[in-house]
Amino acid sequence: MQRILSTELAGLVEKPGEKVTIAGWVHRRRLLKSVAFLIVRDAAGLSQVVVTDPRTREQLEQLPEESVVEVTAVVTANEQAPHGVELTAPVIHELSRAAVPLPFELHRPALGAGLPAQLDHAALSLRHPTRALNLRIAAAAAKGFREALEAQRFVEIQTPKIVESATESGANVFKLDYFGRPGYLAQSPQFYKQLMVGVFERVFEVGPVFRAEHSDTARHLAQYTSLDAEMGFITDHRDVMAALTGTVAGMLGEVTERTGYACPEVPAEIPAVHFAEALRIAGAPADEPDLAPAHERALGEWARREHGSEFVFVTGYPMRKRPFYTHPDPADPTWSNSFDLLFRGLEIVTGGQRLHRYEDYVEALDNRVGPYAGYLDGFRYGMPPHGGWAIGLERFVARLTGAANVRETTAFPRDLNRIAP
Amino acid sequence: MQRILSTELAGLVEKPGEKVTIAGWVHRRRLLKSVAFLIVRDAAGLSQVVVTDPRTREQLEQLPEESVVEVTAVVTANEQAPHGVELTAPVIHELSRAAVPLPFELHRPALGAGLPAQLDHAALSLRHPTRALNLRIAAAAAKGFREALEAQRFVEIQTPKIVESATESGANVFKLDYFGRPGYLAQSPQFYKQLMVGVFERVFEVGPVFRAEHSDTARHLAQYTSLDAEMGFITDHRDVMAALTGTVAGMLGEVTERTGYACPEVPAEIPAVHFAEALRIAGAPADEPDLAPAHERALGEWARREHGSEFVFVTGYPMRKRPFYTHPDPADPTWSNSFDLLFRGLEIVTGGQRLHRYEDYVEALDNRVGPYAGYLDGFRYGMPPHGGWAIGLERFVARLTGAANVRETTAFPRDLNRIAP
């Protein structure tokens, strides 16, 4: 099919009379008395087609919005039209006709339908520019993640999504029938990425992870895209934080470059506060074991006020609140060599240094290595000090775009109540 | 940790006497009478350390192969050593000690262990250069896939891996408990990528797919990485084949650039034969419904002999052997607008034009849309003619590298008998 994109019309302003073919969706029709306008939407944008011929108008009247058409017409300059060009004397070829009525309209600036209706008809609602933009931002962020890490010698890996035992916690794991035996959907690529540090020193993975979240919130999904990285030969978690800082900057840079979306600046050194100090800043009791959402918000405000930064690291979370593979702070093992990265007052990244000696794992697990034996075997063959992080892509995009619900940042969300479409 | 990589030693040939720190794995020790050699392996390559000091030698004797060390030593020119430099007067700092004995040795050119032992101790076997190279090739191929498609306006998507019903066939699908209801692991992103053509016109996904293969062969995995693409506004499957040809060329180009692995050339136009002609070339009866492995091999030999090409397209497979979403050949609906791409006599890509009108799906399914209702709803809102393909990454890498078993091209394979590590 020889067609040009709507954005290519701009280059034809000086070529009136030229015949071109465009193709796309019937975005909107305006059927006036003496003339009809057809707005065609393609992946790049909109084009305006002017219909005066009575037969063509009759044809257009039969083509509901979202039908797919190919239009061959004549380039005519018009400063009012998109790209300064409108198309006249069209021949419209119908490629497929949309069913009527549509469950909701797409041509208004905001989608009128509520979120449940949008999700029920995702194939339609995602065509709206506001919804499509979030997915373009997600794609650009993933690309920026990979490119920033490749520039830092990280190698991409693919790891199993069906595992023998829960990695993070047995509570929110999906169970399946694996050739007659029990299997589980991986909650993270945690152990695999650690083991692969033994092969490539630095690795990353962009892939789905699964959490059987039994509560229905605006920030949790049963499947989300995890941007994981892990690196060896570190001194401690601060080396990981430095690599992450450059990576987040690369992600936001790519988002702006590819989508034009205005992103906040990432400081060369993101402000970092120890957990104990974070509690003081947030006005929380000194014996709190973790940060509540209100504390995270207070820290976000503090970072903006004191450092002009939308980002802030909280380091050294108490060991008892971090997973067993976390490396303790050598100076005081109450605390850990871990961190969270808050973005606008919400945790979007969790990371830290991990244990790297087999015997330390055995001790951390109180000798009950049973369910982890298959993974931990690899730690017996020499592993360097290492650490890494995981970013939830959908939550990152929601925070960036201000989406109220993480379901607005993924195409076909999965949750407690939703397994289709 | 301030360290340099083994490959950076080459730049220090002219700086004898300089003190440097390297870090990595004890790849090999050679304990001679008057001197000992320590070969350190890092992600970039090997370094040679010369030990003459008796105390350091004693320390080295206690460090089995695969232990992790940091070595600070003096640069000394030696044409025989890797990168023209050896490191003398070392101070060795042990980072972690490997367990003894290792299940197999890593320092020989070929891995001595059989495949089952390699897979049981994947975290160790993958450190061998031959195994690690396959994974580097896979990473480069995935990168080349994404970059070639982004250059052609494709947008990356993420789709659900837990679905309501089987996409391809109910026979080899994994079933799971989804919040008390039945759910299934996606066998492909087929319908999702098609629906997303309605949003972005051109989309791709790199992600895991799941097949409960009940037979234990050298070419099947229960989880593999599928490189999927789908594009709208095509005339027919030949537009898809052209996009795929450029994409495969991009993949192999990236593999050579990033790993140095010598890849075959992809012709600007890959030879294509219709299924009926393919049967004749392969010497198969004219009423065969599909190509057997021997036929594929014969076609591969024919393409090399007649066209000097390692690749050949077979087009127009009989409709009865293709999935219900396949678009028939408008000239003769016995045949389909589909194709397979054979690489060195083995199918590595399946693709074609799909149905794009809702009513055609209803007819193809004999009015039994039931299990597909959630997906097909999207086809009611106007879809352009479209098509796409899926490449199995592991099988592609196996064909490229000559690996006898697809399990040699993935880090932690899953099959009928294996769910760990």
Side-chain angles (χ1 to χ4, degrees):
Chain A
M1 189 180 291
Q2 284 304 322
R3 48 137 0 179
I4 63 166
L5 288 173
S6 54
T7 40
E8 293 177 76
L9 288 174
L12 298 173
V13 172
E14 305 296 336
K15 296 187 180 173
E18 189 140 314
K19 222 173 201 180
V20 296
T21 298
I22 61 164
W25 286 261
V26 175
H27 187 61
R28 192 167 190 189
R29 296 171 299 172
R30 283 174 59 215
L31 303 164
L32 307 182
K33 210 165 193 175
S34 59
V35 65
F37 294 97
L38 160 63
I39 307 298
V40 175
R41 186 186 72 243
D42 64 20
L46 304 176
S47 311
Q48 177 169 306
V49 180
V50 185
V51 177
T52 49
D53 171 60
R55 285 236 182 131
T56 309
R57 183 191 174 113
E58 232 170 86
Q59 185 192 7
L60 184 61
E61 284 172 357
Q62 302 304 317
L63 281 173
E65 270 73 18
E66 295 308 307
S67 297
V68 182
V69 293
E70 189 181 48
V71 179
T72 301
V74 175
V75 169
T76 306
N78 177 350
E79 281 184 13
Q80 308 298 314
H83 316 294
V85 166
E86 63 184 9
L87 297 173
T88 55
V91 175
I92 299 174
H93 174 54
E94 174 186 328
L95 293 172
S96 72
R97 189 175 294 204
V100 272
L102 293 177
F104 41 78
E105 291 182 322
L106 287 184
H107 60 77
R108 298 183 197 283
L111 249 179
L115 190 56
Q118 288 183 37
L119 299 180
D120 286 345
H121 302 283
L124 185 65
S125 63
L126 293 171
R127 298 180 184 181
H128 192 272
T130 56
R131 293 295 314 276
L133 176 63
N134 284 352
L135 301 188
R136 282 192 192 272
I137 288 173
K143 181 179 169 68
F145 178 81
R146 288 189 291 252
E147 291 193 348
L149 289 170
E150 280 162 0
Q152 298 174 73
R153 291 203 296 119
F154 286 72
V155 177
E156 184 178 12
I157 57 170
Q158 314 288 343
T159 68
K161 304 308 161 202
I162 304 174
V163 294
E164 201 181 15
S165 56
T167 349
E168 302 291 330
S169 130
N172 60 357
V173 65
F174 288 110
K175 191 174 173 180
L176 73 137
D177 173 9
Y178 191 75
F179 299 115
R181 286 175 280 178
Y184 302 92
L185 290 186
Q187 296 161 296
S188 81
Q190 185 60 34
F191 292 118
Y192 293 110
K193 64 177 180 170
Q194 289 184 252
L195 292 177
M196 292 306 287
V197 165
V199 179
F200 294 126
E201 294 188 8
R202 298 178 169 202
V203 294
F204 71 89
E205 180 169 18
V206 175
V209 297
F210 305 91
R211 305 280 173 109
E213 298 286 354
H214 284 272
S215 54
D216 201 15
T217 82
R219 33 195 278 201
H220 290 98
L221 294 168
Q223 175 190 322
Y224 67 89
T225 303
S226 187
L227 308 180
D228 273 276
E230 199 75 16
M231 58 193 285
F233 297 103
I234 60 171
T235 301
D236 58 29
H237 57 298
R238 286 169 296 187
D239 289 336
V240 181
M241 289 157 62
L244 171 60
T245 301
T247 302
V248 172
M251 292 169 69
L252 293 182
E254 195 71 29
V255 167
T256 301
E257 193 184 317
R258 293 173 70 86
T259 71
Y261 195 84
C263 295
E265 211 176 320
V266 181
E269 194 165 342
I270 293 175
V273 289
H274 190 274
F275 182 80
E277 174 67 13
L279 288 181
R280 271 195 295 275
I281 291 170
D287 59 351
E288 282 282 320
D290 209 346
L291 296 178
H295 302 145
E296 293 191 352
R297 282 194 296 274
L299 283 159
E301 280 157 30
W302 173 85
R304 196 177 304 121
R305 194 174 62 237
E306 298 294 324
H307 296 276
S309 172
E310 304 272 14
F311 297 89
V312 57
F313 276 119
V314 178
T315 65
Y317 284 77
M319 273 301 281
R320 64 189 162 120
K321 292 300 288 182
R322 301 298 265 204
F324 70 89
Y325 50 76
T326 306
H327 198 291
D329 178 350
D332 178 351
T334 319
W335 309 113
S336 66
N337 274 2
S338 71
F339 61 83
D340 276 6
L341 176 61
L342 313 188
F343 176 29
R344 295 177 173 161
L346 182 76
E347 172 258 308
I348 54 153
V349 189
T350 293
Q353 183 180 359
R354 332 294 190 179
L355 299 176
H356 62 279
R357 291 192 187 88
Y358 182 75
E359 53 273 27
D360 292 341
Y361 277 97
V362 175
E363 196 187 318
L365 288 165
D366 270 340
N367 281 303
R368 289 188 288 266
V369 293
Y372 303 103
Y375 312 116
L376 295 184
D377 184 53
F379 290 87
R380 303 173 67 213
Y381 307 132
M383 285 288 284
H386 63 280
W389 70 76
I391 307 175
L393 177 60
E394 294 80 359
R395 198 186 278 195
F396 178 84
V397 173
R399 209 64 192 155
L400 179 61
T401 60
N405 194 310
V406 74
R407 289 167 185 76
E408 293 169 45
T409 66
T410 186
F412 305 98
R414 288 291 176 265
D415 63 32
L416 187 55
N417 302 307
R418 186 172 291 278
I419 192 174
Chain B
M1 187 182 293
Q2 285 303 322
R3 42 115 42 157
I4 63 168
L5 288 172
S6 54
T7 40
E8 294 176 75
L9 287 174
L12 298 173
V13 172
E14 306 296 334
K15 297 187 180 172
E18 189 139 314
K19 222 174 201 180
V20 295
T21 299
I22 61 164
W25 287 262
V26 175
H27 186 63
R28 193 166 191 190
R29 297 170 299 171
R30 282 174 60 215
L31 304 164
L32 307 181
K33 209 163 195 177
S34 60
V35 66
F37 294 97
L38 160 63
I39 308 297
V40 175
R41 186 186 72 242
D42 62 21
L46 304 176
S47 309
Q48 177 169 306
V49 180
V50 185
V51 177
T52 50
D53 171 60
R55 283 236 182 132
T56 309
R57 183 192 174 111
E58 232 172 84
Q59 185 191 6
L60 184 60
E61 284 172 356
Q62 302 304 316
L63 279 174
E65 270 73 19
E66 294 309 307
S67 298
V68 182
V69 293
E70 190 181 49
V71 179
T72 301
V74 175
V75 169
T76 307
N78 176 350
E79 282 184 12
Q80 308 298 315
H83 316 294
V85 165
E86 63 185 10
L87 297 172
T88 56
V91 175
I92 298 173
H93 173 55
E94 174 186 326
L95 294 172
S96 73
R97 188 175 295 203
V100 271
L102 294 177
F104 42 79
E105 291 182 321
L106 287 185
H107 60 77
R108 297 184 197 281
L111 250 178
L115 190 56
Q118 290 183 36
L119 300 179
D120 286 346
H121 302 283
L124 185 65
S125 62
L126 293 171
R127 297 179 184 181
H128 192 272
T130 57
R131 293 295 314 275
L133 176 63
N134 284 352
L135 301 188
R136 282 192 192 272
I137 287 173
K143 182 180 169 65
F145 177 81
R146 288 188 291 253
E147 292 194 347
L149 289 170
E150 280 161 359
Q152 298 175 72
R153 293 202 294 118
F154 286 72
V155 177
E156 184 179 12
I157 56 170
Q158 314 286 343
T159 68
K161 304 308 162 202
I162 302 175
V163 294
E164 203 182 15
S165 56
T167 348
E168 302 291 329
S169 131
N172 60 356
V173 63
F174 287 110
K175 190 174 174 180
L176 73 136
D177 173 8
Y178 190 75
F179 299 116
R181 285 175 282 177
Y184 302 92
L185 290 186
Q187 296 160 296
S188 81
Q190 185 60 36
F191 292 119
Y192 294 109
K193 65 178 179 168
Q194 289 184 251
L195 293 177
M196 293 305 288
V197 166
V199 179
F200 294 126
E201 295 188 8
R202 298 177 168 203
V203 296
F204 71 90
E205 180 168 20
V206 175
V209 297
F210 305 91
R211 306 279 172 109
E213 297 285 354
H214 284 272
S215 54
D216 201 14
T217 81
R219 354 177 337 179
H220 290 98
L221 294 168
Q223 175 190 322
Y224 67 89
T225 302
S226 187
L227 308 180
D228 273 277
E230 200 76 15
M231 59 194 283
F233 297 101
I234 60 171
T235 301
D236 59 28
H237 56 297
R238 286 169 296 186
D239 288 337
V240 182
M241 289 158 63
L244 170 60
T245 301
T247 303
V248 171
M251 292 168 69
L252 294 182
E254 196 71 30
V255 168
T256 301
E257 192 183 318
R258 292 173 71 85
T259 70
Y261 194 83
C263 295
E265 211 176 320
V266 181
E269 192 164 344
I270 292 175
V273 288
H274 190 274
F275 181 79
E277 174 68 12
L279 287 181
R280 270 196 294 275
I281 292 170
D287 59 351
E288 281 283 319
D290 210 347
L291 296 177
H295 302 146
E296 294 190 352
R297 282 194 296 276
L299 283 159
E301 280 157 31
W302 173 85
R304 196 177 304 121
R305 195 173 63 237
E306 299 293 324
H307 297 275
S309 173
E310 304 271 14
F311 297 90
V312 57
F313 277 120
V314 179
T315 65
Y317 283 77
M319 273 301 282
R320 65 190 162 119
K321 291 303 286 183
R322 301 298 266 203
F324 70 89
Y325 49 76
T326 306
H327 199 291
D329 179 349
D332 179 352
T334 320
W335 308 112
S336 65
N337 274 1
S338 71
F339 63 82
D340 276 7
L341 177 61
L342 312 188
F343 177 28
R344 295 176 174 161
L346 182 76
E347 172 260 306
I348 54 153
V349 189
T350 292
Q353 184 180 356
R354 331 296 190 179
L355 298 177
H356 62 279
R357 291 192 184 89
Y358 182 73
E359 53 273 25
D360 293 341
Y361 277 98
V362 175
E363 195 186 319
L365 288 165
D366 271 340
N367 282 301
R368 290 189 289 266
V369 293
Y372 302 104
Y375 312 117
L376 294 185
D377 185 51
F379 288 88
R380 302 174 67 211
Y381 308 131
M383 285 289 283
H386 63 280
W389 71 76
I391 307 175
L393 177 60
E394 294 81 358
R395 197 186 279 195
F396 177 84
V397 173
R399 209 63 192 155
L400 179 61
T401 60
N405 194 310
V406 74
R407 290 168 185 76
E408 292 170 44
T409 65
T410 187
F412 304 98
R414 288 291 176 265
D415 62 33
L416 186 57
N417 302 306
R418 186 170 291 278
I419 192 174

